[in-house]
Structure formats: C-alpha cells, structure tokens
Amino acid sequence: MDSDGFNGVVERLLSAADGTEDETAAVLGDLDGDVVARAVLGEIAARAALFEGATAPVTVQFDVGTPDGRLDYLVTVGDGPARCERGRLREPWVLVRQDLTDLLRSVYGPAGAVQGGTLEVTVRDEDPPGSTGEFGYEDRHQAVRAAHQLTKACSARPVDLDLLAVRFRSDKWGGHWYTPHYERHFGARRDQRVKLLEIGVGGYHAPDVGGASLLMWKHYFRRGLVYGLDVFDKSALDEPRKLTVRGDQSDPEFLNALAKRIGPLDIVIDDGSHRSSDVITSFRTLFPHLRPGGLYVIEDLQTSYWPGWNGGRTHPDDEGTSVGHLKTVVDGLHHMERPGEPSATDRTVTAIHLYPGVAFVEKGINSDRPAPAWIRRDVDPAVWMADPSALSTEEK
C-alpha cells in the first residue's frame, strides 16, 4: 500500500477513535485487522523515540486481540529507531496484550478518555534463554525500560513542544525562538484532528535530509495529518501521518490544486523561500483554503527588510514586502470603518498576532464594528462632545 493509501487508512482510524467503543469496533470490523494493527503499532514505534527507554535492543512481544483471533507482532526498541514486524518469540522478556479496539482508542482517541481496560503488560522475573547480564539483572532492567517506553507511547500524554523541537533538531527553538508563540496559539488544538501544511521541508536538494519540523508537528499533533511542501523531492521522508509534496509555492495554480486535494486545512505555516513575492502569493492563494478558526503562520519576517530576498524596499509600507502586505491585512481587519468594498480576505481575517520574525493570522468571520455607528467620524470629538446639543437627535 502506498503512502497516500496508508494515510487514508490512518485518517479513517483517527475518525473511528472519536466514536464510542461500539462505533470504533464497527469501523474496525470493515477493515483488515493486520492493516489496522500495523498502523497503530507503527505509530507506537514512532512515538517511542519521544520517551527515555532501553539503551540496548529489546524486542517486545505484542499480542493483539481482534474479532477474528489474536495477531502477534514484535516491536524492537533500543539503539536506533524502533521497528515493528509480524512474529512471535517463544519466551519474550516483555509481553503486551491488548484488544485492538482498545489499543486504537488508547493511541488515537481524545485525551482524557478512559482507555486501556484490556491492557496487560508482563515482564519476566526469571531468565529466559539467551540472557547476557549477570543473573539476568541487566537484561531485566532493559526490559523494564522498554516496557515503560512503549506503554508511555501508547498514551495520550502530551510532550512539551520545546522538547520536541530539540529532540528532532528543528530550528524553531534554538535557531529561532518561535515555539513559545506556537504553544500559545496551537496549545488548544493539539488534541484535535488537524490538517497542517508546512511550506519548506529543509535539507535543500538532498532527498533524505530535512523534515525536522514536520516530525515535531507530527508528534505534537498526535491525531493530526502533516504535509510538507518543498521544491525538491522529499518523498524519502514520508511516513504515516507525515507526507511530503513537491511543488513551487510561487505557483497559485499548483497551490490551489494541492489545497483542494488535501484540504480543507486547519493550519498553514510558511517556512519556505522567505522571498516576499512568494510569501504574498502563498498567503493570497492558501488563506481561502483554511477552515474557519484556522491559523496561517508566516515565519522569518526579517527577510522583508533584506534587498536580496525581494525585500528591503525604500518605503517601510511597501505592499510588495511581506511585512508591508501584512500591514494591508491590518487595514482590512478594520474594513467596517474604511470606504470601499472589502475583499474576501478583509471579511475573513479576525485577528493578527505579530512577534519578532513571525506572524499568526486567524481566520473567521469579520463583521465586528469597532465603535457605535452614531459616533461622528468626521468631527473632532473635542468639539461635539463639549456641546452634544449641537448634534441632532438623528445624528446622535
């Protein structure tokens, strides 16, 4: 199954995990148990990297219950990335038993829901064949660490965004200091089934380099689907819930087609070329594809002042720069007080939050009037407020 097809299964599982236990079980009844188990255990294996665990390789036996019988899988953690495969050990150090419906809901269900009622975790208290430590003590310690690591990976416990940025080497903390702002605006959404598109994968032309921020977002939004757009082919970085797309952010036709295929979107992050013309084109094209309540983020606004990056114009309000364009969005935010017909963007931008180097633009319905209609706009308030009788009743 290709990445798009597998992600389609994962998206269906995310939806199924939102329902009651019976509703989840009904959806799973229509799917191949092995495909579902591989998807869920693959997610657990990917999350294992977030938690401290075994330092030496430990293979954990998973015994997954389905309506058609029990399925056996081996998840190995320790040095290097965790891996999952079909198989059974005769005497494993760690045995995890859980029904597939319960396992799915534990991994992909909403935070705070009571899950794990069928979970059994067993760590051997005697030496199985092949033990290498003195009296098996070190082997058992590593097994306990592996069991703890994987049971943590099964839970909905959130992981700090700064820690995720450092763990995956994203420059959003350390190179820049954006993660506190992201936490402020994304925190309430992290348990939602968001669709996020980030422009700019990183690593330039190297096909298997970059994607640090995509990994960070995948694990921050544990129930989200994350897409990365880059001018270079980054498909080597694809994995469940994290797909890359090759294309140019300066091409409105391509962006429209992409957004229609993967959208509607909840979050767009522009960490792409940082050229003002590209930033403006992407915003104008993709902002309409955000859901109401969505967020559009533009990073590295400092390039708006750099001549070599299509910025650095003579006038600071030049609308051809990223910052200058955002100033027009601020004007549009107050379209109720301005003459002329408001644009679609004017009608749907409800807030703008600006920080050094980064902007967050919120989407919604902008129909608020900042001040009552009876207040005179064309007269100095010191004049008419000093003598209210100068106004007629209609004017008041």
Side-chain angles (χ1 to χ4, degrees), residues 212-227:
S213 295
L214 299 182
L215 274 172
M216 179 184 76
W217 295 130
K218 172 182 173 175
H219 290 290
Y220 184 76
F221 295 108
R222 66 182 186 87
R223 307 175 70 223
L225 298 176
V226 175
Y227 298 89

Side-chain angles (χ1 to χ4, degrees), residues 284-301:
R284 287 175 172 168
T285 307
L286 292 174
F287 190 78
H289 292 281
L290 277 180
R291 295 182 193 271
L295 282 168
Y296 195 104
V297 186
I298 302 173
E299 291 191 2
D300 295 334
L301 290 171

Side-chain angles (χ1 to χ4, degrees), residues 7-8 10-12 14 186 189-198 217 221 223-228 241 258-269 289-291 293-296:
N7 249 25
V10 172
E11 188 168 10
R12 190 172 177 186
L14 287 166
F186 288 2
R189 304 164 189 257
R190 71 174 303 174
D191 191 48
Q192 298 175 2
R193 289 174 27 225
V194 303
K195 285 188 177 180
L196 180 151
L197 171 64
E198 179 159 23
W217 295 130
F221 295 108
R223 307 175 70 223
L225 298 176
V226 175
Y227 298 89
R241 296 200 302 111
L258 173 64
K260 289 177 182 177
R261 178 166 66 87
I262 68 174
L265 299 163
D266 299 286
I267 295 170
V268 176
I269 301 170
H289 292 281
L290 277 180
R291 295 182 193 271
L295 282 168
Y296 195 104

Side-chain angles (χ1 to χ4, degrees), residues 375-388:
I375 295 179
R376 292 288 297 268
R377 270 71 166 165
D378 58 341
V379 177
D380 186 334
V383 173
W384 68 263
M385 291 183 71
D387 182 15

Side-chain angles (χ1 to χ4, degrees), residues 243-264:
L243 294 179
T244 60
V245 181
R246 185 176 187 179
D248 191 338
Q249 74 171 116
S250 69
D251 183 348
E253 185 175 350
F254 163 77
L255 293 178
N256 267 315
L258 173 64
K260 289 177 182 177
R261 178 166 66 87
I262 68 174

Side-chain angles (χ1 to χ4, degrees), residues 7-53:
N7 249 25
V9 172
V10 172
E11 188 168 10
R12 190 172 177 186
L13 296 180
L14 287 166
S15 178
D18 275 341
T20 65
E21 186 172 350
D22 288 343
E23 290 169 339
T24 304
V27 173
L28 296 191
D30 295 332
L31 297 172
D32 182 276
D34 179 57
V35 172
V36 175
R38 286 180 181 274
V40 178
L41 291 173
E43 177 72 23
I44 293 170
R47 289 187 194 176
L50 306 180
F51 304 99
E52 185 177 353

Side-chain angles (χ1 to χ4, degrees), residues 275-293:
R275 288 176 52 85
S276 290
S277 57
D278 293 348
V279 170
I280 295 169
T281 295
S282 298
F283 178 79
R284 287 175 172 168
T285 307
L286 292 174
F287 190 78
H289 292 281
L290 277 180
R291 295 182 193 271

Side-chain angles (χ1 to χ4, degrees), residues 11-280:
E11 188 168 10
R12 190 172 177 186
L13 296 180
L14 287 166
S15 178
D18 275 341
T20 65
E21 186 172 350
D22 288 343
E23 290 169 339
T24 304
V27 173
L28 296 191
D30 295 332
L31 297 172
D32 182 276
D34 179 57
V35 172
V36 175
R38 286 180 181 274
V40 178
L41 291 173
E43 177 72 23
I44 293 170
R47 289 187 194 176
L50 306 180
F51 304 99
E52 185 177 353
T55 55
V58 177
T59 298
V60 175
Q61 180 75 62
F62 274 80
D63 180 346
V64 181
T66 74
D68 298 323
R70 306 201 72 85
L71 302 174
D72 298 318
Y73 298 88
L74 302 175
V75 178
T76 302
V77 293
D79 296 331
R83 63 181 186 274
C84 175
E85 58 190 335
R86 285 297 297 269
R88 184 163 188 86
L89 297 176
R90 185 166 63 88
E91 294 184 273
W93 265 113
V94 183
L95 171 63
V96 179
R97 291 172 56 90
Q98 193 166 8
D99 288 349
L100 183 55
T101 299
D102 189 33
L103 180 62
L104 170 68
R105 292 166 63 81
S106 296
V107 173
Y108 281 143
V114 178
Q115 314 291 0
T118 65
L119 175 64
E120 302 175 63
V121 181
T122 304
V123 180
R124 290 181 62 94
D125 57 4
E126 59 186 45
D127 296 357
S131 296
T132 58
E134 183 179 1
F135 307 114
Y137 292 154
E138 179 59 27
D139 295 300
R140 190 174 192 281
H141 175 64
Q142 292 294 336
V144 169
R145 290 171 65 96
H148 177 261
Q149 182 179 18
L150 290 176
T151 53
K152 293 275 284 186
C154 291
S155 75
R157 185 183 299 271
V159 180
D160 179 80
L161 184 58
D162 293 350
L163 177 63
L164 289 174
V166 173
R167 170 66 183 81
F168 294 114
R169 302 188 179 188
S170 168
D171 67 355
K172 291 184 183 354
W173 193 94
H176 304 290
W177 305 102
Y178 295 157
T179 52
H181 308 312
Y182 277 117
E183 189 72 69
R184 181 177 298 117
H185 294 283
F186 288 2
R189 304 164 189 257
R190 71 174 303 174
D191 191 48
Q192 298 175 2
R193 289 174 27 225
V194 303
K195 285 188 177 180
L196 180 151
L197 171 64
E198 179 159 23
I199 302 171
V201 175
Y204 299 99
H205 61 275
D208 57 349
V209 178
S213 295
L214 299 182
L215 274 172
M216 179 184 76
W217 295 130
K218 172 182 173 175
H219 290 290
Y220 184 76
F221 295 108
R222 66 182 186 87
R223 307 175 70 223
L225 298 176
V226 175
Y227 298 89
L229 169 63
D230 204 278
V231 293
F232 298 106
D233 180 9
K234 296 291 180 176
S235 57
L237 303 174
D238 289 357
E239 58 185 54
R241 296 200 302 111
K242 177 174 72 72
L243 294 179
T244 60
V245 181
R246 185 176 187 179
D248 191 338
Q249 74 171 116
S250 69
D251 183 348
E253 185 175 350
F254 163 77
L255 293 178
N256 267 315
L258 173 64
K260 289 177 182 177
R261 178 166 66 87
I262 68 174
L265 299 163
D266 299 286
I267 295 170
V268 176
I269 301 170
D270 186 346
D271 189 16
S273 73
H274 306 309
R275 288 176 52 85
S276 290
S277 57
D278 293 348
V279 170
I280 295 169

